[in-house]
Amino acid sequence: MSSERARLTALYGGLLVLAGALLVGLVYLLVSEGLYASVLTAVAPAVPSGATDVAIRSGTAAPALPSSDWAQTTIMQPGQYAVARKVSSAAGDAALSQLLTVSGVSLAVYSALSVALAWWMAGRVLRPVGVITARARRLSGSNLHERLALKAPPGELKELADTFDGMLDRIEELVAARQRFAANAAHELRTPLAVQRAAAEIGLADDPSPEKVAWIRDKLIDTATDSEQLIEGLLLLAVSDEGLRRRERVGLDATAATVTEVLEPEAKNRSIAVETEARPVSVEGDPVLLDHLVRNLVANALRHNHPGGTVRVRVGPGGLEVANTGPVVDPATVPLLFEPFRRAQARRHAPGEGAGLGLSIVASIARAHGGGASATANPGGGLTVRVVLPTCP
């Protein structure tokens, strides 16, 4: 059978026909059990009693009938009993034959109706599945906004349709995010190339002075460094999105202490105080990716700050929290900061500004470790980023 409707029809129809056949057999069996005795009881009084005197003189009594009070108390002559037995046998056989014929015809009609009903019922049951299949075939990148919105009573098929709509929501969000990522990545990669070309074409024209050549060289080196950092960030984001390739026990408190120590010179250059509060916490994961997670959080907190500001790093059983002072951030834009190339402030193309991948990398690494990242805007300015990771016992 090539379709689920045909299979369901065969299943439902077969069960109904089997139930009908069992019912016919049961009725035939129950009727045949007491039919002959009942017919004999009904026929016996109508048989002529021509041998009654002989039965009395000889003291011979006819066998007692198997049923009814009358049959158990009446004495019959042998000739009378033989005639009643023969008549009752013929009548019982005819009745059973007629019952079997009528039952067979009824079962055939019942079977045909059962198959037709099973075919109709299977079609009604599978109709939502057909709607889902047809919609899935029509789906493409241009109509991901369409939904099934199946109108049906609560049940498994309604739940399936709602789950399908939820899956389309997630796919649409993912496709939109990937499209934004591709557009933003192309823009970010095109900017340093445009700067390098302008510096080479304009700055090196008309026999520039050695000082100008040195300036152009430094500019090209800075641009190349930014491009290298951008490519490294993209590669790291791709690696973290693929998941973990190795797992080992990592002390998150020790990682945070190491990162803050490495970034301490940058904090001093920016006149920012770094406060660390770390309790012993261990997680199972990739130590390199976890190091990048903590480093990106602390580096972002230093870059998006102001002289005299602070950065607070806390490590505890709940995970990692990094809070910093800085410019006021609109709370509505905070969830968007975890998307690639999203920034709280407009890009100024300043040295060391970053490519806008920091929080997206943090979120990706957290997901790879079975956790998550969230952020809230501080009332006085800056952000508080929390990373929740499953800890080792």
Side-chain angles (χ1 to χ4, degrees):
M1 297 181 183
S2 58
S3 68
E4 292 299 330
R5 187 175 186 180
R7 295 187 183 95
L8 287 177
T9 300
L11 177 62
Y12 295 158
L15 290 177
L16 290 174
V17 171
L18 178 61
L22 292 176
L23 179 61
V24 169
L26 180 62
V27 170
Y28 183 86
L29 179 64
L30 293 178
V31 170
S32 63
E33 282 291 329
L35 179 64
Y36 291 100
S38 299
V39 173
L40 181 61
T41 302
V43 169
V47 176
S49 54
T52 305
D53 296 337
V54 178
I56 294 175
R57 287 194 302 268
S58 63
T60 303
L65 296 176
S67 62
S68 80
D69 295 338
W70 178 88
Q72 294 175 3
T73 59
T74 300
I75 303 300
M76 297 179 62
Q77 298 178 8
Q80 185 183 7
Y81 177 78
V83 173
R85 182 68 177 268
K86 186 174 182 179
V87 172
S88 63
S89 296
D93 291 342
L96 288 178
S97 178
Q98 182 66 16
L99 175 63
L100 191 60
T101 301
V102 173
S103 298
V105 173
S106 301
L107 180 61
V109 175
Y110 173 78
S111 300
L113 292 177
S114 298
V115 172
L117 180 62
W119 178 264
W120 175 77
M121 183 60 68
R124 285 188 58 87
V125 170
L126 294 176
R127 186 177 302 168
V129 178
V131 173
I132 296 173
T133 303
R135 183 61 56 83
R137 287 174 178 170
R138 294 198 306 268
L139 281 178
S140 64
S142 60
N143 61 351
L144 281 177
H145 62 281
E146 296 183 8
R147 297 295 180 267
L148 293 176
L150 184 66
K151 295 180 180 179
E156 286 77 4
L157 292 178
K158 174 66 173 175
E159 184 178 356
L160 174 63
D162 293 342
T163 302
F164 188 81
D165 286 343
M167 180 189 68
L168 290 180
D169 291 337
R170 294 189 295 272
I171 292 177
E172 185 180 14
E173 293 176 1
L174 179 61
V175 170
R178 293 302 181 186
Q179 290 175 344
R180 291 194 301 268
F181 174 81
N184 292 332
H187 175 74
E188 294 288 339
L189 291 172
R190 185 176 59 184
T191 299
L193 294 177
V195 172
Q196 290 177 354
R197 182 171 183 175
E201 291 181 350
I202 300 174
L204 297 179
D206 301 328
D207 193 16
S209 62
E211 292 79 8
K212 190 174 184 180
V213 172
W215 179 85
I216 294 173
R217 182 193 61 191
D218 294 339
K219 184 65 176 178
L220 292 176
I221 291 175
D222 292 340
T223 305
T225 301
D226 291 341
S227 299
E228 183 180 2
Q229 292 176 352
L230 173 59
I231 293 173
E232 289 179 353
L234 291 173
L235 290 175
L236 179 60
L237 183 60
V239 170
S240 59
D241 283 341
E242 290 179 358
L244 300 182
R245 297 182 179 179
R246 61 170 179 166
R247 290 179 178 271
E248 60 183 74
R249 192 182 184 92
V250 180
L252 191 60
D253 55 322
T255 301
T258 302
V259 169
T260 53
E261 183 179 354
V262 171
L263 294 178
E264 186 177 356
E266 181 178 351
K268 290 183 177 179
N269 291 336
R270 297 175 180 268
S271 301
I272 297 174
V274 179
E275 303 173 0
T276 305
E277 180 184 342
R279 297 171 58 186
V281 173
S282 296
V283 298
E284 186 177 1
D286 190 323
V288 176
L289 291 180
L290 290 173
D291 180 82
H292 280 292
L293 183 148
V294 179
R295 187 184 300 271
N296 281 359
L297 280 179
V298 179
N300 276 352
L302 293 175
R303 290 194 189 103
H304 304 286
N305 214 318
H306 54 71
T310 59
V311 173
R312 293 184 298 276
V313 181
R314 293 189 178 91
V315 180
L320 173 67
E321 178 182 293
V322 177
N324 67 291
T325 56
V328 177
V329 180
D330 183 4
T333 64
V334 171
L336 302 178
L337 297 178
F338 289 96
E339 295 186 9
F341 307 110
R342 290 287 186 139
R343 300 176 177 86
Q345 305 293 330
R347 186 174 183 181
R348 301 181 300 274
H349 299 286
E353 183 188 26
L357 294 173
L359 290 183
S360 62
I361 292 175
V362 168
S364 178
I365 294 175
R367 286 194 301 269
H369 286 79
S374 62
T376 54
N378 298 328
L383 284 175
T384 297
V385 182
R386 298 176 181 85
V387 177
V388 178
L389 298 173
T391 59
C392 297

